[in-house]
Amino acid sequence: MIELESVKEQPKKKENNTSSKLQISTTANTTTTSPNTPMSSGSNTRLINPFTSKPLINNNHSINNNNYNYYRAKNKGKDQQQVEDWYLFENNNRNNYLKFICSLRVSTLILLTLTFTIMLMIFVVIISSIFATSFSDLEKKDVSNTSKRIIKSLKDQMDSIYNILYAFAGWDDAYYSVYNVLYSGSEDDFNVFNNFIDVNLAPDVMQGVNLDIAIVYLLNGTELTYKTSPNIKPILPSFLKQFPYLNHVSHYQNALFKVAGILYDNEIANQLLIWVISPITRANPTSQSDFQSYFFFGKYISMNLMNDIADSVQCCISFHVLQDLNDKISNNWRNNVKNINGTYPDINSRVWSNNDVIGYDVLSNVELEKRFCGTLDEKLKNGSIITEQRYSSYHLVTDINNNNLFIVRTDIPRSVYFVGLQSLLLAIFLLFGVCLLSTCIVIFFIERRVLSRISKLSNRIQQIAFSNDSKQRIVGKEYQAYDELGNVVKNINFMLSALDNLLEQSKEQEVIKKLFQKIAQVEESTKNIMNAIKDIVLTVNLDGRILFANSSFYDHFNYTTLDIEGLHNVTIIDLFPELTNNLTYLSNSKLNEVYNNKSTSSSSSNNNNNNNGINNVELIGKILQYLTNDEFHLLKAAPSKKKNEFIEYECMFTKCKVVLQNNEQSKVYVVVARKRSNRNSLNSTSTSNLNSISEEEEDHEMNEILTEFDKILLDEKEREKFKEYCKQEKSEENILFIEQVMFYKQLKEPYERMIKQEYIFNNFLLNNSLNISSEMLNKELMRIKNGLGQVDLFDQLLQFVEITVCKDTFMRYKQQQHDLMYL
């Protein structure tokens, strides 16, 4: 592990030292300071870690001034060094906490946790809604089928009553006893009929066959006689004295028909009555048999019957008559079922219309009346309070006239629902376990394959960074995998190699830069020295071509730097033609012999040669070699710029070695030419003095204008005003050039000046955007192009441009300012 911060041990201080150390004791909460030593903000008081004996805070940490001032204000009166240490300590703890929270491990764990949590919640919501809907539908279907079985049980009761009735109605004794009464009407016939009824429908017989009432009706619906079981009052309800549903049986001509239904006895029993009616015929009747009366058998839906039905369908039931005003269920449904068609359990059919449940409800912690559950559970008996949730359905039943009669409520335990809920919870727990296991597996995989490798990679990069060694690389088995992280490590190593190469190049460039600076300084010094010499100094190669000339040469000869240093088309013979045309001043016969031999061999091929004489390179080299003898040679030069006459120069030739631009060593000749003293120069002195008086006056006036112009250039506001004027005059190139040269001269480093030199050359000189003559531009063009950032590189051209601006644009600007001042 790399220790990022380290604190060197402080040397022991003398007793009279004004600084002190502050230590936190591990045994007592006291702060110890040196006596008689004030804790000033400039002291070296530091907070010491009692476990490591090192300062808690490194001095290199920066402090946010605003937060620190607020913190210092809160701890006013305390030692400032201590306040600073505690502030940095708390700030570092906060930063470490933020780094931990924002770390890749924590963010990955949070992201995975949130992802799986959201997925789990979405799954729970979807599964819960699906399960709830599915099991709710299943529960409704279950309770609905149970309710339909109860209606089927009522129909079964009708069939049971009809089977008993058929045993009595299809009997010759019953048929003839009624027949005799109807057609003879004698007292004996009545006695026989009554005796037949008393014997066959005795109370114990009716109780044995579970009948509560038996009635004999005539064809017109009039009651002939009746019998009741001992369980009820022996009174016939008034609405049964005349058969109430005669219209449903009178149209039948078939002797085998049967009609059944349910009605409510609100007079005697206050119970629902299941009834069946069928004609009384002879034994073995057929559909064509005749009949004169009907048997009406009825059975009340008593508690025992309801318990029997509840046992048969294995549920709890309750019947609620809509006419019963004291029934809560009936009161709740009475108005709601007015427009609903109920179920009529037709005894002659197996499929009934409208045989659907009209409502569902969940029962819990309520007291239910008229509820019967058979032998299912004592806790579910009538009037008990339901402690468990049960699901109920409501089924509407009508009478034979399709009038809503009563509601059958069926309730069953919610076992299906709770099984589904348990299955849902089990599925959720399993899913949670799978998600947790998946999260652990993913986190383990990411930690093993990604995070730990990234952490090691980060530590390794940190080690390389603190080592300041660009040669180090990231190596290890965990980084040799062919995955993305392995590619990252390869790219990092490649980047380190590239940075290493770049660092080496930068070191080389730094060395080259320093070397270049030295070379530029030496060259600039050399040129300044050469230009300070009043004599003409030339560098000539073996071919006789002039490679370099100092400023005195350009003052005496009509050549530019482009001719000398750019094109190299000027030779030493161009300056001193008599080297080839007239050799009488030479006393050496060997040179004459060399010259005569070469000129004879080349005369046939060079009849049209100009005044340069001989162009033979070998001859020029031998002439220069001969002249190199440490003696002055008197040579006449070609006409100069100012005087159209030949001037004699005392020349000395010296041979030396130099390195050319192609890094090759070559021999050159250094020529020093000094104008020969002339007697006529004394006679012409008086004339030149008279001419110089007027020239000095002009120079003085121009110097004053240049001084005023320089003041404007140094004043930024005035310079901007003058630039704006030049812009209006369409001649702002010169002032821009002057600004760029001023900036060029302010640069300290030669390579910086070379960059600016290239910019000035490309933008102002290459396309001749300055308002100067092409002669002057050509004279300076090649010298500036080949310059190496010399400070005075643009001085001559700058002086010429300033003079040009002062004579033209600046004079008009001064006149404009003068006119504006007096307007």
Side-chain angles (χ1 to χ4, degrees):
M1 185 169 182
I2 296 177
E3 185 176 358
L4 299 181
E5 299 174 358
S6 61
V7 180
K8 296 183 179 179
E9 295 184 357
Q10 299 291 337
K12 293 183 179 180
K13 300 183 179 179
K14 296 181 180 180
E15 293 181 357
N16 59 356
N17 195 348
T18 58
S19 62
S20 62
K21 278 198 172 182
L22 177 67
Q23 285 190 330
I24 300 175
S25 176
T26 58
T27 58
N29 296 326
T30 59
T31 304
T32 305
T33 60
S34 298
N36 302 324
T37 303
M39 291 186 180
S40 62
S41 60
S43 64
N44 293 328
T45 302
R46 310 299 295 168
L47 293 177
I48 304 301
N49 190 326
F51 302 102
T52 61
S53 299
K54 293 182 179 181
L56 291 174
I57 302 299
N58 189 284
N59 292 333
N60 295 328
H61 289 279
S62 61
I63 296 180
N64 186 300
N65 291 331
N66 295 331
N67 297 336
Y68 175 66
N69 291 334
Y70 173 75
Y71 192 84
R72 186 172 60 181
K74 289 177 59 178
N75 298 273
K76 188 176 181 180
K78 297 182 180 179
D79 177 59
Q80 296 301 320
Q81 186 65 62
Q82 180 183 2
V83 172
E84 177 182 338
D85 284 344
W86 278 115
Y87 170 77
L88 291 174
F89 179 69
E90 294 180 2
N91 192 38
N92 281 350
N93 289 337
R94 183 164 52 253
N95 293 337
N96 293 333
Y97 175 74
L98 292 176
K99 289 180 180 179
F100 173 76
I101 293 298
C102 299
S103 64
L104 191 59
R105 282 189 175 91
V106 176
S107 59
T108 303
L109 180 61
I110 294 175
L111 180 62
L112 289 176
T113 303
L114 289 176
T115 302
F116 282 112
T117 302
I118 293 173
M119 290 176 59
L120 182 62
M121 292 177 63
I122 293 174
F123 180 81
V124 168
V125 171
I126 295 175
I127 295 299
S128 299
S129 60
I130 293 175
F131 269 61
T133 303
S134 300
F135 284 101
S136 178
D137 294 341
L138 184 61
E139 194 174 33
K140 288 180 180 180
K141 186 176 181 180
D142 189 13
V143 73
S144 178
N145 291 333
T146 303
S147 179
K148 291 179 181 180
R149 288 199 301 272
I150 294 174
I151 304 300
K152 180 65 170 53
S153 298
L154 295 178
K155 195 260 183 185
D156 293 340
Q157 292 294 327
M158 294 178 184
D159 291 335
S160 175
I161 296 173
Y162 174 72
N163 292 332
I164 299 172
L165 184 147
Y166 181 76
F168 285 94
W171 194 7
D172 288 342
D173 291 342
Y175 174 79
Y176 285 111
S177 63
V178 175
Y179 180 80
N180 292 331
V181 170
L182 291 178
Y183 285 98
S184 64
S186 61
E187 185 177 353
D188 294 336
D189 293 332
F190 271 102
N191 292 332
V192 172
F193 172 75
N194 291 329
N195 184 47
F196 174 80
I197 295 299
D198 292 338
V199 172
N200 292 284
L201 294 177
D204 55 342
V205 175
M206 295 184 64
Q207 187 176 5
V209 296
N210 291 325
L211 284 179
D212 291 324
I213 188 169
I215 305 174
V216 178
Y217 285 108
L218 299 178
L219 293 179
N220 58 2
T222 303
E223 174 261 332
L224 184 60
T225 185
Y226 71 95
K227 288 292 182 178
T228 61
S229 68
N231 299 326
I232 64 173
K233 295 179 180 181
I235 301 174
L236 182 66
S238 60
F239 60 86
L240 291 180
K241 291 183 178 181
Q242 181 69 30
F243 183 64
Y245 307 112
L246 184 62
N247 59 326
H248 291 281
V249 298
S250 59
H251 62 278
Y252 282 107
Q253 300 298 323
N254 187 352
L256 299 179
F257 79 90
K258 53 185 176 181
V259 178
I262 303 175
L263 55 81
Y264 177 59
D265 180 8
N266 58 353
E267 295 181 2
I268 306 300
N270 289 327
Q271 292 179 345
L272 292 171
L273 177 66
I274 302 175
W275 58 269
V276 179
I277 190 170
S278 184
I280 302 173
T281 62
R282 288 187 291 268
N284 299 322
T286 63
S287 60
Q288 301 299 325
S289 299
D290 58 333
F291 57 90
Q292 291 83 25
S293 60
Y294 308 106
F295 257 138
F296 177 93
F297 283 5
K299 184 178 182 179
Y300 285 106
I301 303 178
S302 61
M303 295 175 56
N304 293 331
L305 179 58
M306 295 186 69
N307 284 324
D308 291 341
I309 296 175
D311 283 336
S312 64
V313 297
Q314 291 295 299
C315 68
C316 296
I317 61 173
S318 60
F319 292 173
H320 304 275
V321 181
L322 294 175
Q323 297 179 11
D324 188 359
L325 300 179
N326 296 323
D327 194 314
K328 295 180 181 179
I329 302 298
S330 299
N331 294 333
N332 292 334
W333 283 96
R334 186 176 294 111
N335 295 326
N336 296 330
V337 298
K338 287 183 178 180
N339 298 322
I340 299 177
N341 295 323
T343 302
Y344 167 63
D346 189 359
I347 194 174
N348 297 308
S349 176
R350 294 184 179 181
V351 180
W352 308 319
S353 60
N354 304 321
N355 190 22
D356 294 322
V357 175
I358 62 173
Y360 302 93
D361 193 9
V362 177
L363 304 179
S364 178
N365 296 324
V366 294
E367 182 179 356
L368 300 177
E369 299 178 352
K370 301 179 181 180
R371 181 168 176 268
F372 301 93
C373 301
T375 59
L376 294 177
D377 194 345
E378 289 295 330
K379 297 179 181 179
L380 303 177
K381 64 182 180 179
N382 183 27
S384 62
I385 298 177
I386 298 177
T387 57
E388 62 175 1
Q389 285 191 4
R390 295 180 68 85
Y391 201 71
S392 65
S393 65
Y394 298 90
H395 204 129
L396 180 62
V397 181
T398 64
D399 59 10
I400 195 172
N401 290 326
N402 289 326
N403 295 321
N404 296 333
L405 183 60
F406 66 96
I407 292 176
V408 179
R409 184 184 64 191
T410 306
D411 63 272
I412 60 175
R414 305 195 71 184
S415 57
V416 176
Y417 178 80
F418 287 116
V419 168
L421 185 61
Q422 292 176 358
S423 301
L424 176 61
L425 294 177
L426 180 61
I428 292 174
F429 282 120
L430 290 176
L431 179 63
F432 177 77
V434 171
C435 291
L436 183 61
L437 180 61
S438 302
T439 304
C440 295
I441 293 175
V442 172
I443 291 176
F444 176 77
F445 177 79
I446 294 176
E447 173 67 24
R448 187 67 179 271
R449 293 290 299 170
V450 180
L451 297 181
S452 62
R453 296 168 65 194
I454 291 178
S455 179
K456 293 179 181 179
L457 177 61
S458 177
N459 293 334
R460 181 58 183 154
I461 293 175
Q462 194 176 32
Q463 291 175 1
I464 295 175
F466 284 111
S467 67
N468 292 326
D469 185 5
S470 61
K471 301 294 183 182
Q472 295 187 19
R473 297 294 181 268
I474 301 173
V475 294
K477 294 182 179 180
E478 61 271 19
Y479 304 126
Q480 295 178 358
Y482 294 96
D483 56 5
E484 287 78 4
L485 194 56
N487 293 332
V488 170
V489 172
K490 292 179 182 177
N491 292 333
I492 291 176
N493 288 330
F494 179 76
M495 181 185 67
L496 290 175
S497 300
L499 290 176
D500 188 24
N501 295 334
L502 185 61
L503 183 61
E504 294 294 334
Q505 293 177 4
S506 64
K507 291 180 180 179
E508 294 177 359
Q509 291 177 358
E510 188 68 23
V511 173
I512 294 173
K513 185 191 299 184
K514 293 180 180 179
L515 182 60
F516 170 74
Q517 292 178 358
K518 291 182 179 180
I519 293 173
Q521 292 173 0
V522 171
E523 183 178 358
E524 184 176 359
S525 300
T526 303
K527 280 194 174 183
N528 291 335
I529 294 173
M530 296 295 290
N531 291 329
I533 298 174
K534 299 301 181 181
D535 296 335
I536 298 173
V537 180
L538 302 175
T539 302
V540 183
N541 64 4
L542 298 179
D543 300 337
R545 298 184 183 277
I546 300 175
L547 302 179
F548 170 77
N550 65 347
S551 58
S552 296
F553 169 80
Y554 297 107
D555 293 337
H556 290 80
F557 293 92
N558 191 20
Y559 293 105
T560 64
T561 55
L562 179 63
D563 299 325
I564 302 301
E565 300 180 13
L567 301 177
H568 300 298
N569 58 358
V570 180
T571 64
I572 190 66
I573 298 176
D574 295 330
L575 301 181
F576 306 106
E578 65 177 341
L579 284 177
T580 57
N581 294 335
N582 188 4
L583 300 177
T584 57
Y585 64 94
L586 294 175
S587 60
N588 194 324
S589 60
K590 293 184 178 180
L591 180 60
N592 292 326
E593 182 181 356
V594 170
Y595 169 71
N596 292 329
N597 293 336
K598 295 299 179 180
S599 60
T600 303
S601 61
S602 60
S603 60
S604 59
S605 58
N606 295 319
N607 294 327
N608 298 325
N609 285 344
N610 54 14
N611 59 356
N612 289 341
I614 298 174
N615 291 329
N616 192 295
V617 175
E618 183 179 358
L619 178 59
I620 296 176
K622 288 186 177 184
I623 294 173
L624 293 174
Q625 184 177 1
Y626 172 77
L627 295 176
T628 307
N629 53 8
D630 296 334
E631 294 181 0
F632 282 97
H633 303 279
L634 188 61
L635 300 176
K636 288 185 179 181
S640 64
K641 297 188 292 182
K642 298 181 180 180
K643 297 181 180 179
N644 192 12
E645 61 182 4
F646 286 91
I647 302 175
E648 290 184 345
Y649 288 89
E650 294 177 349
C651 302
M652 178 180 285
F653 294 82
T654 306
K655 193 175 184 179
C656 65
K657 291 183 179 180
V658 295
V659 179
L660 301 180
Q661 293 181 354
N662 55 2
N663 295 327
E664 294 181 358
Q665 287 188 353
S666 177
K667 295 180 180 180
V668 297
Y669 294 93
V670 178
V671 181
V672 179
R674 179 183 301 169
K675 187 187 297 186
R676 186 181 182 187
S677 59
N678 195 343
R679 296 177 181 177
N680 296 330
S681 60
L682 297 175
N683 298 328
S684 61
T685 302
S686 58
T687 305
S688 61
N689 289 335
L690 295 175
N691 296 331
S692 62
I693 294 175
S694 60
E695 292 180 356
E696 289 180 358
E697 292 178 354
E698 293 179 0
D699 292 341
H700 179 70
E701 183 179 358
M702 180 55 63
N703 288 334
E704 290 180 352
I705 296 174
L706 288 173
T707 302
E708 186 177 359
F709 181 68
D710 290 338
K711 291 181 180 179
I712 290 180
L713 292 178
L714 295 176
D715 191 340
E716 184 177 357
K717 293 183 179 180
E718 293 295 330
R719 186 173 70 249
E720 292 297 326
K721 289 172 60 177
F722 182 67
K723 282 175 62 177
E724 188 65 26
Y725 176 79
C726 293
K727 188 176 182 179
Q728 296 175 0
E729 293 284 325
K730 307 296 182 182
S731 59
E732 61 178 337
E733 293 82 5
N734 290 337
I735 186 63
L736 294 177
F737 170 77
I738 294 173
E739 282 187 335
Q740 293 297 325
V741 174
M742 290 173 61
F743 180 73
Y744 169 85
K745 295 172 74 65
Q746 293 175 359
L747 297 175
K748 302 297 183 181
E749 300 295 335
Y751 70 91
E752 293 178 351
R753 291 198 295 269
M754 285 190 66
I755 297 174
K756 178 58 70 174
Q757 168 191 336
E758 183 178 2
Y759 173 79
I760 296 174
F761 182 84
N762 293 330
N763 289 275
F764 294 98
L765 305 182
L766 192 61
N767 55 3
N768 193 12
S769 61
L770 302 175
N771 296 326
I772 59 177
S773 63
S774 58
E775 180 182 359
M776 181 63 186
L777 182 63
N778 292 331
K779 180 179 179 180
E780 297 292 326
L781 192 63
M782 190 53 59
R783 186 176 67 85
I784 294 174
K785 182 179 180 181
N786 295 329
L788 296 176
Q790 297 90 339
V791 177
D792 60 347
L793 185 64
F794 293 95
D795 284 356
Q796 295 183 9
L797 188 59
L798 176 63
Q799 183 179 6
F800 184 80
V801 173
E802 286 182 344
I803 293 174
T804 303
V805 173
C806 289
K807 288 182 177 180
D808 184 21
T809 309
F810 185 64
M811 297 301 294
R812 294 198 301 273
Y813 174 75
K814 286 179 60 180
Q815 185 64 38
Q816 183 194 50
Q817 297 298 316
H818 180 271
D819 295 341
L820 292 175
M821 184 181 299
Y822 292 100
L823 285 178

